[in-house]
Amino acid sequence: MIHIKNSLPRTLAVHVRLFFHTGCLFILLLTGWPEELYAGTLYQVSRVIDGDTVLLDNGQRIRLLGINAPEISHRNKPAELGGIRAKDYLNKVLLKRLIHLEYDVERRDHYGRQLAHIYLDNGEHVNVAMLRLGLATLSIHPPNLQHARVLAAAEYVAQELGLGLWSQVSHQLRPINQLSAGLANKWGRYEAVVVKTKRFKQGTQLHLSDNSYVWISASDYEYFQALKTYVGRRVELRGWPKQRGGYWSIKLIHSSQLIMKPDRY
């Protein structure tokens, strides 16, 4: 049995237990079936739209909370690597299956989709499974923080084992100075040292170099530790870089996107 802890962001640190048995790796995340779901309504999935969205037989679209899967081809855009694999997995485990839904603070997103955690009738938490298998990445959108620690732990295990997306070049850590036009608007992981903060009424910039910074809105301060504590520290950033004027900018909304790394000696 191996215990992994404290390598996750401080606010998300949990114990993950890895059990080895007859040459196979079994991952037990410390989670449980919410008791209130036993008596809840059962729904049937009639169609899988992509790796994080499904359609129910009552016409409702459900967006899985806490995860983000690569895009499939749409609107003349090619599929992202891993997008078809994520959709195929949901087709395998959800199509025509009865499921339970668990909601968080926000019930709908700006596209009108319902936001939910999906559980199979055997109790398996599908959102967690997608992360544990490396089929999606963590995507916490406050104030929807339910199961954030378990979701982060599931992603951490997949990353450590190099499963799914974590075996792809697109998901490897890059120095911030390697940002280029080909990486704009694509999810990525970047390493940098926070040089300084620049505070505005609407939020704060954490400057990483002469031409790059991260932006944290004032309304999201509560989801991070004190921003001044990041200054001088090496961090890992996760998000979608955009070019704004002569700068690269990555908007962060939760501490799971801004991971403080150990100091190098």
Side-chain angles (χ1 to χ4, degrees):
M1 183 186 299
I2 303 172
H3 293 279
I4 301 175
K5 65 178 181 178
N6 297 332
S7 297
L8 296 169
R10 185 177 306 170
T11 57
L12 297 176
V14 296
H15 291 274
V16 180
R17 295 179 181 176
L18 306 184
F19 289 88
F20 293 86
H21 178 64
T22 61
C24 297
L25 176 63
F26 295 92
I27 301 170
L28 173 63
L29 296 172
L30 303 185
T31 183
W33 171 289
E35 292 183 6
E36 61 272 17
L37 292 184
Y38 279 117
T41 304
L42 283 168
Y43 301 90
Q44 188 173 63
V45 175
S46 63
R47 178 187 165 205
V48 172
I49 296 172
D50 57 27
D52 49 36
T53 310
V54 301
L55 184 69
L56 303 183
D57 58 0
N58 62 8
Q60 295 177 355
R61 287 195 178 209
I62 305 297
R63 174 63 164 83
L64 279 71
L65 271 169
I67 72 170
N68 186 68
E71 298 291 337
I72 60 171
S73 59
H74 67 291
R75 298 177 183 175
N76 298 319
K77 294 182 180 180
E80 296 176 345
L81 189 60
I84 299 298
R85 186 166 60 242
K87 181 180 178 180
D88 286 347
Y89 176 78
L90 289 188
N91 266 317
K92 177 182 176 181
V93 300
L94 290 183
L95 195 59
K96 304 304 180 184
R97 289 282 299 272
L98 293 176
I99 62 169
H100 293 271
L101 299 178
E102 182 186 23
Y103 299 102
D104 207 328
V105 176
E106 296 176 324
R107 294 288 291 259
R108 294 184 182 275
D109 65 10
H110 58 282
Y111 296 112
R113 300 175 298 187
Q114 289 200 38
L115 303 170
H117 293 272
I118 293 181
Y119 295 83
L120 300 180
D121 52 5
N122 64 7
E124 182 177 5
H125 190 170
V126 175
N127 308 50
V128 169
M130 292 289 289
L131 294 170
R132 188 182 67 236
L133 296 171
L135 299 173
T137 54
L138 184 69
S139 184
I140 302 297
H141 283 258
N144 305 302
L145 304 178
Q146 198 162 225
H147 307 305
R149 291 185 176 186
V150 173
L151 292 166
E155 179 185 68
Y156 177 79
V157 171
Q159 181 181 334
E160 288 296 294
L161 296 178
L163 302 179
L165 296 172
W166 302 105
S167 66
Q168 298 176 183
V169 172
S170 59
H171 284 60
Q172 304 312 304
L173 190 62
R174 308 169 188 262
I176 196 70
N177 60 13
Q178 288 187 7
L179 270 172
S180 62
L183 298 173
N185 303 310
K186 296 179 180 179
W187 189 94
R189 301 166 57 213
Y190 300 93
E191 186 176 49
V193 173
V194 178
V195 178
K196 64 179 181 179
T197 63
K198 191 172 182 181
R199 196 177 183 102
F200 300 87
K201 182 178 180 180
Q202 298 87 355
T204 298
Q205 295 175 346
L206 275 61
H207 283 258
L208 313 170
S209 66
D210 290 338
N211 69 339
S212 63
Y213 65 87
V214 298
W215 172 259
I216 299 174
S217 296
S219 59
D220 293 323
Y221 287 164
E222 63 184 292
Y223 306 114
F224 296 83
Q225 61 189 62
L227 298 186
K228 63 181 181 182
T229 63
Y230 292 104
V231 176
R233 297 298 303 271
R234 189 165 60 95
V235 296
E236 177 183 332
L237 317 164
R238 299 185 175 196
W240 291 263
K242 299 180 183 295
Q243 284 189 294
R244 299 180 181 279
Y247 287 90
W248 283 100
S249 173
I250 302 177
K251 182 180 180 180
L252 308 181
I253 61 175
H254 187 263
S255 59
S256 57
Q257 297 177 273
L258 181 60
I259 302 169
M260 200 175 290
K261 309 290 281 187
D263 290 326
R264 289 173 175 163
Y265 296 101

